[in-house]
Amino acid sequence: MFTIMNSHQQYIDLYREHRDMVCDGSIAVMNQARDTAAALLAEQGLPTTRVERYKYTNAAEDFAPDFGINLLRRQSSVDAYATFKCNVPNLSTSLFFVVNDIVCSAPQSSRALLPEGVIVDSFSRVAATHSDILEKYYNRVAQTDRDFRQGHDGVTLLNTMLAQDGLLVYLPKGVKLKAPIQIVNVAAAEHDTMSLRRLLVVAEDGAEGSVLLCDHAENTQAHYLTTQVIEAYAEAESKLNIYSIEESNEKTTRYSTLYVEQQRGSLLSYDGVTLTCGRSRNRIDVRLLGEGAKTELYGAVVADREQHVDNNIVVEHLSPRCESEMLYKYVLNEHSVGAFAGKVYVAPGAQQTASQQTNANLCVSPTARAFSQPMLEIYADDVKCNHGSSIGKLDETALFYMRQRGIPEVEARLLLQHAFINDVLRHVEIPHLHDRLSQLVELRFRGELSKCKGCHGCVK
């Protein structure tokens, strides 16, 4: 009988009992990391709220139920490209699907917009022709001791121990994508299922491109638990944009971790938007290794009912003249919970660092809860670092002003909430994606986004 405190043991037992099956369904570079991950997970377990970076979300509790795992790598009978529709109007993308944690074979139409040398494919297929890329980058930044001597991340260890495949996005030196790469993650099962997704994004020197991640969940009776580990490498003078849109349902629990390494003069921009979910825990760890690197992290959260959204971020300035910006905004209604913790670490010698960190929370109902924890840890004296947070309710003066001019109260509240979130959306550089997100946010506030607006049967 597994309790919350030892919920990790069921996964270790599963791995040890079926180790040959797990390895047979995977590739060498992933198998090489499994035993070490299992040993570390056995030693430290899954994090509870006693762990500083998990003080608002109890991972051990979320992983305690018995979820099925597709160790036999059974392919879905559903043709994702024919069944699911997740298109942003007027936005041309190279479209790829991952159903649970199975990377679907893409038709030629999905690859037609990719420049020569760009790779978007599963680890299992890439291993036959470009194993050197996987060997160089897989699990390199994710295995780093990220928590300032507090140990490795338990959820990442579990993913490394059991994940059997992943998706590689590789932009070779100097290549500039004209169209974004869109990856649609779909949770679809008849029974409670755990998915173990892995994504590796590499932008070589001078490469530029955008990756759009869309998360959806089929509206069945099943509960979904997803671990997603993303490793992103921005090499010298590269520019990488990552957009993440979470639009699942209340039966979905997602643990997503993004590890980033940036080299000299690189720019990484991340925009994460949570529209609908059950429990969502998003961790971002950024290491600015090269002089003049810049990272931009933006997040927008709309939550109501019993939804729980936790964003936890650490940015490490390890070289001089680097910049970072964080802006996260939450609109919380009913009994929802929103949590933000952001830490900027400036290492000795990282002079002329510039950093701005802002978290703002709007509690629409008196029963919504917001937690905010911005932090600075600075060991250099020539820096410009600021941080701030706020938790409040709708501006009654502005609401009164709008009502005096004939705007109904419901509409006035919607407009104020939309304007609050738009501070984040304006950083989306792709015009058609910005317009679509603005529309989805409005639908969300109007209560018209109870299920994903992209999957089969619900396209409008």
Side-chain angles (χ1 to χ4, degrees):
M1 183 71 176
F2 297 105
T3 65
I4 291 174
M5 294 305 296
N6 70 345
S7 60
H8 64 286
Q9 192 61 47
Q10 62 182 317
Y11 302 104
I12 294 171
D13 292 346
L14 177 70
Y15 171 66
R16 290 172 176 168
E17 182 178 351
H18 299 288
R19 184 180 183 279
D20 290 344
M21 181 191 301
V22 172
C23 293
D24 288 346
S26 188
I27 59 175
V29 69
M30 299 184 78
N31 292 338
Q32 291 166 4
R34 297 189 194 282
D35 288 346
T36 299
L40 289 169
L41 182 61
E43 178 183 329
Q44 66 184 58
L46 288 166
T48 67
T49 53
R50 295 179 181 179
V51 176
E52 177 64 25
R53 295 195 67 179
Y54 282 83
K55 66 186 299 182
Y56 305 115
T57 304
N58 193 333
E61 180 178 327
D62 288 337
F63 283 80
D66 184 14
F67 287 87
I69 301 177
N70 185 15
L71 297 182
L72 289 174
R73 312 306 294 156
R74 290 193 173 96
Q75 299 287 327
S76 172
S77 59
V78 175
D79 181 351
Y81 289 87
T83 305
F84 300 106
K85 304 297 179 186
C86 186
N87 295 317
V88 178
N90 303 314
L91 178 65
S92 178
T93 66
S94 298
L95 186 61
F96 299 85
F97 280 91
V98 179
V99 178
N100 297 324
D101 52 18
I102 300 290
V103 180
C104 302
S105 297
Q108 183 56 37
S109 58
S110 293
R111 305 183 183 281
L113 297 176
L114 297 178
E116 184 178 355
V118 173
I119 301 171
V120 184
D121 211 341
S122 69
F123 290 177
S124 56
R125 289 187 282 269
V126 168
T129 54
H130 297 88
S131 61
D132 56 319
I133 299 175
L134 298 177
E135 290 167 1
K136 180 178 180 181
Y137 291 106
Y138 176 76
N139 204 45
R140 190 181 83 191
V141 65
Q143 71 175 347
T144 305
D145 185 353
R146 309 293 296 165
D147 289 335
F148 299 93
R149 297 172 296 281
Q150 293 183 25
H152 296 265
D153 179 61
V155 178
T156 299
L157 292 174
L158 187 150
N159 180 284
T160 302
M161 180 178 71
L162 290 174
Q164 293 172 277
D165 204 357
L167 181 65
L168 170 67
V169 176
Y170 175 75
L171 310 181
K173 184 176 181 179
V175 165
K176 294 176 174 55
L177 291 182
K178 294 182 179 179
I181 294 169
Q182 184 178 10
I183 301 166
V184 181
N185 297 305
V186 181
E190 296 299 323
H191 307 285
D192 293 357
T193 300
M194 176 191 288
S195 299
L196 300 131
R197 299 201 300 256
R198 202 81 185 208
L199 176 62
L200 176 58
V201 182
V202 179
E204 292 284 7
D205 293 357
E208 296 182 8
S210 296
V211 178
L212 170 59
L213 307 175
C214 303
D215 277 22
H216 299 294
E218 283 284 83
N219 289 285
T220 68
Q221 295 302 309
H223 288 78
Y224 305 110
L225 174 61
T226 298
T227 71
Q228 173 176 269
V229 176
I230 305 170
E231 293 179 278
Y233 298 87
E235 302 294 352
E237 305 298 334
S238 64
K239 181 179 179 181
L240 183 60
N241 298 312
I242 299 178
Y243 301 97
S244 176
I245 305 170
E246 189 175 6
E247 196 181 342
S248 56
N249 60 37
E250 70 278 0
K251 294 180 180 178
T252 301
T253 297
R254 188 187 80 161
Y255 278 73
S256 178
T257 304
L258 169 62
Y259 295 103
V260 178
E261 257 191 19
Q262 292 184 240
Q263 303 298 334
R264 171 182 50 82
S266 63
L267 170 63
L268 180 130
S269 180
Y270 172 87
D271 292 79
V273 180
T274 298
L275 294 170
T276 54
C277 68
R279 290 174 63 81
S280 178
R281 207 273 176 172
N282 306 288
R283 168 175 169 159
I284 301 176
D285 286 12
V286 180
R287 306 185 77 201
L288 299 171
L289 299 177
E291 184 172 335
K294 182 178 181 180
T295 187
E296 301 171 337
L297 306 174
Y298 307 111
V301 174
V302 181
D304 55 18
R305 291 172 288 182
E306 304 292 332
Q307 294 168 359
H308 177 107
V309 183
D310 180 358
N311 287 289
N312 190 290
I313 302 168
V314 170
V315 176
E316 297 178 67
H317 287 259
L318 303 175
S319 290
R321 287 173 283 282
C322 292
E323 299 179 42
S324 65
E325 180 178 357
M326 275 185 240
L327 174 62
Y328 274 71
K329 288 198 165 188
Y330 294 61
V331 176
L332 307 171
N333 204 348
E334 298 177 329
H335 297 279
S336 60
V337 176
F340 171 86
K343 181 174 185 176
V344 172
Y345 170 84
V346 181
Q351 303 293 356
Q352 298 184 33
T353 287
S355 177
Q356 177 65 48
Q357 181 183 171
T358 305
N359 170 230
N361 302 274
L362 189 61
C363 292
V364 181
S365 75
T367 52
R369 290 181 292 161
F371 302 92
S372 183
Q373 189 182 21
M375 295 169 282
L376 296 173
E377 186 174 342
I378 302 171
Y379 297 97
D381 54 11
D382 183 11
V383 302
K384 294 180 180 179
C385 296
N386 298 289
H387 68 340
S389 70
S390 63
I391 299 174
K393 58 183 182 179
L394 283 173
D395 187 337
E396 294 296 333
T397 301
L399 191 62
F400 176 79
Y401 180 88
M402 296 171 74
R403 294 185 65 190
Q404 286 293 98
R405 279 146 184 80
I407 301 175
E409 181 177 353
V410 172
E411 193 71 16
R413 289 181 177 275
L414 185 149
L415 290 172
L416 288 174
Q417 293 174 63
H418 197 286
F420 181 80
I421 289 294
N422 195 56
D423 283 346
V424 174
L425 299 185
R426 66 184 179 84
H427 292 284
V428 176
E429 295 183 357
I430 304 173
H432 294 305
L433 179 59
H434 171 273
D435 294 344
R436 177 59 170 162
L437 285 174
S438 182
Q439 179 192 24
L440 290 175
V441 168
E442 180 178 347
L443 290 172
R444 181 70 172 86
F445 285 138
R446 294 185 184 279
E448 300 175 14
L449 202 64
S450 59
K451 60 181 180 177
C452 69
K453 296 285 184 181
C455 298
H456 65 100
C458 58
V459 178
K460 292 186 177 181

